[in-house]
Amino acid sequence: MSLVVAQHQLPRRVDMTLRLLNTYTKKLQKFVPLKRNTVRMYACGPTVWDYAHIGNFRTYVLQDVLRRYLKYKGFKVIQVTNITDVDDRTIRQSKEAGLALREYTKKYEEAYLADLETLNIERAEHYPRATEHIDEMVALVRKLIRRDFAYEAEGSVYFDISKFKTYGRLSGARIGELKVGARIDSDRYSKDEARDFVLWKGWRPDDGEVFWETAIGKGRPGWHLECSAMSMKYLGVPFDIHTGGEDLIFPHHENEIAQSEAATGKRFVKFWLHFGMLLVNDRKMAKSSGNFFTLRDLLSKGHDRIAIRYLLLSAHYRAQLNFTEDALADAERAVKTLRGTYRRVSDIKGISRRGNAQLREALTKERKAFEKAMDDDLNTPRALAALHRGARAVNRAIDQGEMSARDASVARRFFSDLDRVFGILGGETKSEELPEEAARLIKERDQARARRDWATADNMRKQLLAMGISVEDTPSGTTWRRTTV
Ligand SMILES: [Zn+2]
């Protein structure tokens, strides 16, 4: 017997201390990956019809914190985040702009990826586009028709929710009152409108050039179908975790479960995690209320990108978060203090010869408090409090001149380890690569300057600033840096 085989058969030690509140069971449950040490996770992504708003970014930052904490615990993570690049809104907006669908969505897809980097959000392993997975979606619809869960009507295909006995289990939607055969065509509707939903939308003149000729007819996929097809393609079934904003519980996630489980006869997802809403100035964000912000809006007002990240992750993920100027100012101060302490201890090679056992003990205690808080359903406010207490202990030790070289290195490790999850101190977790969109803008700006078109160049400088990037013109060319506190 070879040693390799023997090692392979050894049981792996799997960390079993994380508990998460599963929206599907409504219970706090111990999290263990389905397959060995790898977590397979699907996080609903953007519909690329416009810039994402700050509420969307709360979801993306929290998904990132979950991902980073799973990695902190030693799990390998395979994350899939879809790009919805065909739906009612993308089609409507692209027509208004007079652009082909792909031409239109490309801009917002690039902006989305650039904004992720601005907020120090790690890249997922896969970003599948809906328009590139039509074959998988058609195969899924055909399977549902074969298994008698779907039917054709007026050129479209619908899911028959009366056939799926556990329909409504995730969201609590009731279908008792349902009139048999009542259908709904739009992608978004409320719980009391639960009825047979559209899987495949037959072509209508409104769709213009946007259609696919397929075995189930000429048309395009429904939004819910996209996520089922792409998650199962990249992750198989069942997979470990599916996340999204709580506004997606119904109908989107309810319908994802129905489609996927009816087609495979298997459980779709083990853990469902939902993130709470973001309010701005105590109110639901709306363009009409004047409290609607994109990330770029906030950056162009001079707010720090990392303070925005800090604020977005500072409340518990299931709670509502009220986003205000005051809260942002507090976040800016908190980030500044933490960074200042981290910088301070990074410059220290040791002030005293004698070790400070009290400091080391305090940091061990705070690290444990951090892990305990995160293990308890990702309690980020408590975990951040541990980081702040650790920072105060470090400042005190430096002020009192009681820090040896070894203490300083223990303190640096405390900060850098916890920051693998928070991503707010900069440095090792931050990618310094320029996003594609910013690189293009810098190039176009150089060209504008070359033809002495100062207005365009200045406009582009402002656009870059809104992405958290400041440019400087030097004799040897344009340089850039990330704007920080
Ligand atoms: Zn989705």
Side-chain angles (χ1 to χ4, degrees), residues 160-201:
D160 181 347
I161 59 174
S162 69
K163 296 253 171 74
F164 187 69
K165 297 303 169 210
T166 50
Y167 191 85
R169 176 149 176 206
L170 177 75
S171 63
R174 286 173 205 271
I175 59 167
E177 306 277 303
L178 178 83
K179 288 197 192 92
V180 175
R183 301 188 297 266
I184 193 148
D185 280 301
S186 57
D187 284 331
R188 286 156 211 271
Y189 51 96
S190 69
K191 253 201 284 195
D192 41 336
E193 291 175 290
R195 52 187 99 164
D196 293 354
F197 61 90
V198 70
L199 296 165
W200 182 259
K201 300 187 179 200

Short mmCIF file of all heavy atoms in Angstrom, two decimals, residues 160-201:
data_model
loop_
_atom_site.label_atom_id
_atom_site.label_comp_id
_atom_site.label_asym_id
_atom_site.label_seq_id
_atom_site.Cartn_x
_atom_site.Cartn_y
_atom_site.Cartn_z
N ASP A 160 -45.37 24.81 -12.50
CA ASP A 160 -46.65 24.54 -11.84
C ASP A 160 -46.41 24.37 -10.34
O ASP A 160 -45.99 23.30 -9.88
CB ASP A 160 -47.23 23.25 -12.45
CG ASP A 160 -48.59 22.88 -11.86
OD1 ASP A 160 -48.97 23.48 -10.82
OD2 ASP A 160 -49.25 22.00 -12.43
N ILE A 161 -46.66 25.42 -9.57
CA ILE A 161 -46.28 25.35 -8.15
C ILE A 161 -47.15 24.38 -7.34
O ILE A 161 -46.74 23.92 -6.29
CB ILE A 161 -46.22 26.74 -7.46
CG1 ILE A 161 -47.55 27.47 -7.50
CG2 ILE A 161 -45.13 27.60 -8.06
CD1 ILE A 161 -47.56 28.76 -6.71
N SER A 162 -48.32 24.04 -7.86
CA SER A 162 -49.17 23.10 -7.10
C SER A 162 -48.56 21.69 -7.09
O SER A 162 -48.89 20.87 -6.25
CB SER A 162 -50.58 23.07 -7.70
OG SER A 162 -50.55 22.46 -8.97
N LYS A 163 -47.65 21.44 -8.04
CA LYS A 163 -47.03 20.11 -8.11
C LYS A 163 -45.85 19.97 -7.16
O LYS A 163 -45.39 18.89 -6.87
CB LYS A 163 -46.52 19.84 -9.54
CG LYS A 163 -47.61 19.79 -10.59
CD LYS A 163 -47.82 18.35 -11.06
CE LYS A 163 -49.03 18.22 -11.93
NZ LYS A 163 -48.81 18.77 -13.27
N PHE A 164 -45.35 21.11 -6.70
CA PHE A 164 -44.16 21.06 -5.84
C PHE A 164 -44.63 21.23 -4.39
O PHE A 164 -44.94 22.34 -3.95
CB PHE A 164 -43.15 22.15 -6.24
CG PHE A 164 -41.85 22.04 -5.51
CD1 PHE A 164 -40.97 20.99 -5.76
CD2 PHE A 164 -41.49 22.99 -4.57
CE1 PHE A 164 -39.78 20.87 -5.06
CE2 PHE A 164 -40.28 22.89 -3.87
CZ PHE A 164 -39.43 21.82 -4.12
N LYS A 165 -44.69 20.10 -3.68
CA LYS A 165 -45.42 20.07 -2.41
C LYS A 165 -44.85 20.99 -1.33
O LYS A 165 -45.58 21.46 -0.46
CB LYS A 165 -45.51 18.63 -1.87
CG LYS A 165 -46.30 17.70 -2.80
CD LYS A 165 -47.73 18.24 -3.05
CE LYS A 165 -48.43 17.47 -4.16
NZ LYS A 165 -49.42 18.30 -4.90
N THR A 166 -43.54 21.24 -1.38
CA THR A 166 -42.99 22.07 -0.31
C THR A 166 -42.86 23.54 -0.74
O THR A 166 -42.15 24.31 -0.10
CB THR A 166 -41.61 21.55 0.16
OG1 THR A 166 -40.80 21.35 -1.00
CG2 THR A 166 -41.75 20.26 0.93
N TYR A 167 -43.55 23.93 -1.79
CA TYR A 167 -43.47 25.32 -2.24
C TYR A 167 -43.92 26.24 -1.11
O TYR A 167 -44.97 26.03 -0.50
CB TYR A 167 -44.35 25.56 -3.48
CG TYR A 167 -44.07 26.91 -4.12
CD1 TYR A 167 -43.03 27.05 -5.02
CD2 TYR A 167 -44.81 28.04 -3.77
CE1 TYR A 167 -42.73 28.29 -5.57
CE2 TYR A 167 -44.52 29.28 -4.31
CZ TYR A 167 -43.48 29.39 -5.21
OH TYR A 167 -43.17 30.62 -5.75
N GLY A 168 -43.11 27.28 -0.83
CA GLY A 168 -43.47 28.22 0.23
C GLY A 168 -42.74 27.94 1.54
O GLY A 168 -42.83 28.70 2.48
N ARG A 169 -41.97 26.86 1.59
CA ARG A 169 -41.34 26.49 2.86
C ARG A 169 -40.28 27.53 3.30
O ARG A 169 -40.19 27.86 4.46
CB ARG A 169 -40.68 25.11 2.71
CG ARG A 169 -39.94 24.75 3.94
CD ARG A 169 -39.90 23.28 4.25
NE ARG A 169 -39.06 23.14 5.43
CZ ARG A 169 -38.39 22.07 5.74
NH1 ARG A 169 -38.48 21.00 4.98
NH2 ARG A 169 -37.64 22.05 6.82
N LEU A 170 -39.53 28.06 2.36
CA LEU A 170 -38.48 29.03 2.73
C LEU A 170 -39.10 30.35 3.20
O LEU A 170 -38.72 30.91 4.21
CB LEU A 170 -37.56 29.29 1.52
CG LEU A 170 -36.47 30.34 1.74
CD1 LEU A 170 -35.35 29.78 2.62
CD2 LEU A 170 -35.89 30.82 0.41
N SER A 171 -40.09 30.83 2.46
CA SER A 171 -40.60 32.18 2.69
C SER A 171 -41.89 32.23 3.49
O SER A 171 -42.30 33.29 3.95
CB SER A 171 -40.87 32.83 1.33
OG SER A 171 -41.89 32.11 0.65
N GLY A 172 -42.56 31.09 3.60
CA GLY A 172 -43.85 31.10 4.27
C GLY A 172 -44.99 31.55 3.37
O GLY A 172 -46.07 31.89 3.85
N ALA A 173 -44.77 31.57 2.06
CA ALA A 173 -45.85 31.93 1.13
C ALA A 173 -46.87 30.79 1.11
O ALA A 173 -46.50 29.62 1.14
CB ALA A 173 -45.29 32.15 -0.27
N ARG A 174 -48.14 31.14 1.13
CA ARG A 174 -49.18 30.11 1.09
C ARG A 174 -49.77 30.02 -0.31
O ARG A 174 -49.99 31.03 -0.95
CB ARG A 174 -50.32 30.48 2.03
CG ARG A 174 -49.98 30.30 3.47
CD ARG A 174 -51.12 30.88 4.30
NE ARG A 174 -50.64 31.27 5.61
CZ ARG A 174 -50.62 30.45 6.65
NH1 ARG A 174 -51.03 29.22 6.53
NH2 ARG A 174 -50.18 30.88 7.82
N ILE A 175 -50.01 28.78 -0.72
CA ILE A 175 -50.58 28.65 -2.06
C ILE A 175 -51.97 28.02 -2.00
O ILE A 175 -52.53 27.66 -3.00
CB ILE A 175 -49.67 27.86 -3.01
CG1 ILE A 175 -49.40 26.46 -2.48
CG2 ILE A 175 -48.37 28.60 -3.24
CD1 ILE A 175 -48.77 25.56 -3.53
N GLY A 176 -52.53 27.95 -0.78
CA GLY A 176 -53.85 27.34 -0.61
C GLY A 176 -54.94 27.97 -1.46
O GLY A 176 -55.78 27.30 -2.01
N GLU A 177 -54.86 29.28 -1.56
CA GLU A 177 -55.91 30.03 -2.27
C GLU A 177 -55.71 30.03 -3.78
O GLU A 177 -56.50 30.60 -4.51
CB GLU A 177 -55.90 31.49 -1.80
CG GLU A 177 -56.03 31.65 -0.31
CD GLU A 177 -57.48 31.57 0.14
OE1 GLU A 177 -58.28 32.37 -0.37
OE2 GLU A 177 -57.78 30.69 0.96
N LEU A 178 -54.62 29.45 -4.18
CA LEU A 178 -54.23 29.54 -5.59
C LEU A 178 -55.28 28.96 -6.54
O LEU A 178 -55.78 27.87 -6.35
CB LEU A 178 -52.92 28.77 -5.77
CG LEU A 178 -52.38 28.70 -7.16
CD1 LEU A 178 -51.60 29.96 -7.46
CD2 LEU A 178 -51.49 27.49 -7.31
N LYS A 179 -55.59 29.76 -7.54
CA LYS A 179 -56.47 29.24 -8.58
C LYS A 179 -55.58 28.44 -9.52
O LYS A 179 -54.54 28.93 -9.96
CB LYS A 179 -57.10 30.40 -9.35
CG LYS A 179 -58.14 31.14 -8.58
CD LYS A 179 -58.99 31.96 -9.55
CE LYS A 179 -59.85 32.95 -8.81
NZ LYS A 179 -59.24 34.26 -8.64
N VAL A 180 -55.97 27.23 -9.81
CA VAL A 180 -55.13 26.38 -10.65
C VAL A 180 -54.88 27.06 -11.99
O VAL A 180 -55.79 27.57 -12.63
CB VAL A 180 -55.80 24.99 -10.84
CG1 VAL A 180 -54.98 24.14 -11.83
CG2 VAL A 180 -55.91 24.29 -9.50
N GLY A 181 -53.62 27.07 -12.36
CA GLY A 181 -53.27 27.62 -13.67
C GLY A 181 -53.07 29.13 -13.69
O GLY A 181 -52.75 29.69 -14.72
N ALA A 182 -53.27 29.84 -12.54
CA ALA A 182 -53.02 31.29 -12.54
C ALA A 182 -51.53 31.51 -12.70
O ALA A 182 -50.73 30.89 -12.03
CB ALA A 182 -53.52 31.89 -11.22
N ARG A 183 -51.16 32.41 -13.61
CA ARG A 183 -49.74 32.55 -13.95
C ARG A 183 -49.26 33.97 -13.74
O ARG A 183 -50.05 34.91 -13.72
CB ARG A 183 -49.53 32.18 -15.43
CG ARG A 183 -49.97 30.79 -15.79
CD ARG A 183 -49.55 30.46 -17.19
NE ARG A 183 -50.17 31.32 -18.18
CZ ARG A 183 -51.28 31.02 -18.83
NH1 ARG A 183 -51.90 29.88 -18.60
NH2 ARG A 183 -51.77 31.84 -19.73
N ILE A 184 -47.94 34.09 -13.61
CA ILE A 184 -47.34 35.41 -13.51
C ILE A 184 -46.12 35.48 -14.42
O ILE A 184 -45.32 34.55 -14.47
CB ILE A 184 -47.02 35.78 -12.04
CG1 ILE A 184 -46.69 37.26 -11.91
CG2 ILE A 184 -45.89 34.93 -11.46
CD1 ILE A 184 -47.10 37.86 -10.59
N ASP A 185 -46.01 36.59 -15.15
CA ASP A 185 -44.94 36.72 -16.13
C ASP A 185 -43.77 37.54 -15.64
O ASP A 185 -42.67 37.39 -16.12
CB ASP A 185 -45.47 37.35 -17.42
CG ASP A 185 -46.18 36.32 -18.27
OD1 ASP A 185 -45.53 35.32 -18.64
OD2 ASP A 185 -47.38 36.50 -18.54
N SER A 186 -44.05 38.48 -14.69
CA SER A 186 -42.95 39.35 -14.30
C SER A 186 -42.02 38.59 -13.34
O SER A 186 -42.42 37.63 -12.68
CB SER A 186 -43.48 40.62 -13.65
OG SER A 186 -44.28 40.27 -12.56
N ASP A 187 -40.76 39.06 -13.27
CA ASP A 187 -39.77 38.39 -12.44
C ASP A 187 -39.94 38.74 -10.97
O ASP A 187 -39.53 38.01 -10.10
CB ASP A 187 -38.36 38.81 -12.89
CG ASP A 187 -37.96 38.11 -14.18
OD1 ASP A 187 -38.45 36.98 -14.42
OD2 ASP A 187 -37.17 38.69 -14.95
N ARG A 188 -40.49 39.93 -10.70
CA ARG A 188 -40.61 40.38 -9.30
C ARG A 188 -42.08 40.56 -8.94
O ARG A 188 -42.81 41.26 -9.65
CB ARG A 188 -39.86 41.70 -9.14
CG ARG A 188 -38.36 41.49 -9.15
CD ARG A 188 -37.60 42.74 -9.58
NE ARG A 188 -36.37 42.37 -10.25
CZ ARG A 188 -35.21 42.18 -9.63
NH1 ARG A 188 -35.11 42.35 -8.35
NH2 ARG A 188 -34.13 41.82 -10.32
N TYR A 189 -42.49 39.94 -7.83
CA TYR A 189 -43.87 40.07 -7.35
C TYR A 189 -43.88 39.69 -5.88
O TYR A 189 -42.88 39.22 -5.34
CB TYR A 189 -44.82 39.19 -8.17
CG TYR A 189 -44.38 37.75 -8.31
CD1 TYR A 189 -44.87 36.77 -7.46
CD2 TYR A 189 -43.47 37.38 -9.30
CE1 TYR A 189 -44.46 35.45 -7.59
CE2 TYR A 189 -43.05 36.06 -9.43
CZ TYR A 189 -43.54 35.11 -8.58
OH TYR A 189 -43.13 33.80 -8.69
N SER A 190 -45.03 39.91 -5.22
CA SER A 190 -45.03 39.72 -3.76
C SER A 190 -45.60 38.36 -3.38
O SER A 190 -46.13 37.63 -4.21
CB SER A 190 -45.83 40.84 -3.10
OG SER A 190 -47.19 40.67 -3.44
N LYS A 191 -45.47 38.06 -2.07
CA LYS A 191 -45.84 36.75 -1.57
C LYS A 191 -47.30 36.39 -1.82
O LYS A 191 -47.63 35.26 -2.12
CB LYS A 191 -45.57 36.71 -0.06
CG LYS A 191 -44.36 35.86 0.27
CD LYS A 191 -44.35 35.39 1.70
CE LYS A 191 -43.96 36.47 2.67
NZ LYS A 191 -43.59 35.95 3.99
N ASP A 192 -48.19 37.38 -1.67
CA ASP A 192 -49.60 37.04 -1.88
C ASP A 192 -49.97 36.94 -3.36
O ASP A 192 -51.11 36.68 -3.70
CB ASP A 192 -50.53 38.02 -1.12
CG ASP A 192 -50.05 39.45 -1.22
OD1 ASP A 192 -48.84 39.61 -1.44
OD2 ASP A 192 -50.86 40.37 -1.10
N GLU A 193 -48.98 37.14 -4.21
CA GLU A 193 -49.23 36.92 -5.64
C GLU A 193 -48.63 35.59 -6.10
O GLU A 193 -48.43 35.38 -7.29
CB GLU A 193 -48.58 38.04 -6.46
CG GLU A 193 -49.23 39.39 -6.31
CD GLU A 193 -48.45 40.45 -7.07
OE1 GLU A 193 -47.33 40.79 -6.64
OE2 GLU A 193 -48.95 40.91 -8.11
N ALA A 194 -48.32 34.71 -5.14
CA ALA A 194 -47.68 33.43 -5.49
C ALA A 194 -48.54 32.68 -6.50
O ALA A 194 -49.71 32.43 -6.25
CB ALA A 194 -47.48 32.60 -4.23
N ARG A 195 -47.96 32.38 -7.64
CA ARG A 195 -48.66 31.56 -8.63
C ARG A 195 -47.64 30.97 -9.60
O ARG A 195 -46.45 31.14 -9.38
CB ARG A 195 -49.73 32.36 -9.36
CG ARG A 195 -49.24 33.65 -9.95
CD ARG A 195 -50.38 34.46 -10.49
NE ARG A 195 -50.77 35.49 -9.52
CZ ARG A 195 -51.53 36.52 -9.83
NH1 ARG A 195 -52.04 36.65 -11.03
NH2 ARG A 195 -51.80 37.44 -8.93
N ASP A 196 -48.11 30.29 -10.61
CA ASP A 196 -47.18 29.65 -11.54
C ASP A 196 -46.29 30.72 -12.17
O ASP A 196 -46.78 31.67 -12.78
CB ASP A 196 -47.96 28.90 -12.63
CG ASP A 196 -48.71 27.71 -12.05
OD1 ASP A 196 -48.52 27.42 -10.85
OD2 ASP A 196 -49.48 27.08 -12.79
N PHE A 197 -44.99 30.55 -12.00
CA PHE A 197 -44.09 31.58 -12.48
C PHE A 197 -43.42 31.17 -13.78
O PHE A 197 -43.33 29.99 -14.11
CB PHE A 197 -43.05 31.94 -11.41
CG PHE A 197 -42.18 30.79 -10.99
CD1 PHE A 197 -40.98 30.53 -11.63
CD2 PHE A 197 -42.56 29.95 -9.94
CE1 PHE A 197 -40.17 29.48 -11.24
CE2 PHE A 197 -41.76 28.89 -9.54
CZ PHE A 197 -40.57 28.65 -10.20
N VAL A 198 -42.94 32.17 -14.47
CA VAL A 198 -42.41 31.93 -15.82
C VAL A 198 -40.96 31.43 -15.76
O VAL A 198 -40.13 31.96 -15.03
CB VAL A 198 -42.54 33.21 -16.68
CG1 VAL A 198 -41.59 34.30 -16.24
CG2 VAL A 198 -42.38 32.91 -18.17
N LEU A 199 -40.70 30.35 -16.51
CA LEU A 199 -39.34 29.81 -16.60
C LEU A 199 -38.67 30.33 -17.87
O LEU A 199 -37.52 30.72 -17.87
CB LEU A 199 -39.38 28.27 -16.68
CG LEU A 199 -39.93 27.54 -15.46
CD1 LEU A 199 -40.25 26.09 -15.82
CD2 LEU A 199 -38.92 27.58 -14.32
N TRP A 200 -39.46 30.31 -18.92
CA TRP A 200 -38.95 30.70 -20.23
C TRP A 200 -39.96 31.65 -20.84
O TRP A 200 -41.14 31.33 -20.94
CB TRP A 200 -38.78 29.47 -21.12
CG TRP A 200 -38.22 29.76 -22.47
CD1 TRP A 200 -38.91 29.86 -23.64
CD2 TRP A 200 -36.84 30.01 -22.80
NE1 TRP A 200 -38.07 30.15 -24.68
CE2 TRP A 200 -36.79 30.25 -24.19
CE3 TRP A 200 -35.66 30.05 -22.06
CZ2 TRP A 200 -35.58 30.52 -24.86
CZ3 TRP A 200 -34.47 30.31 -22.71
CH2 TRP A 200 -34.44 30.55 -24.10
N LYS A 201 -39.50 32.84 -21.23
CA LYS A 201 -40.44 33.84 -21.76
C LYS A 201 -40.41 33.83 -23.29
O LYS A 201 -39.38 34.14 -23.88
CB LYS A 201 -40.02 35.24 -21.28
CG LYS A 201 -40.02 35.38 -19.78
CD LYS A 201 -39.76 36.81 -19.38
CE LYS A 201 -39.79 36.94 -17.87
NZ LYS A 201 -40.02 38.31 -17.41
#
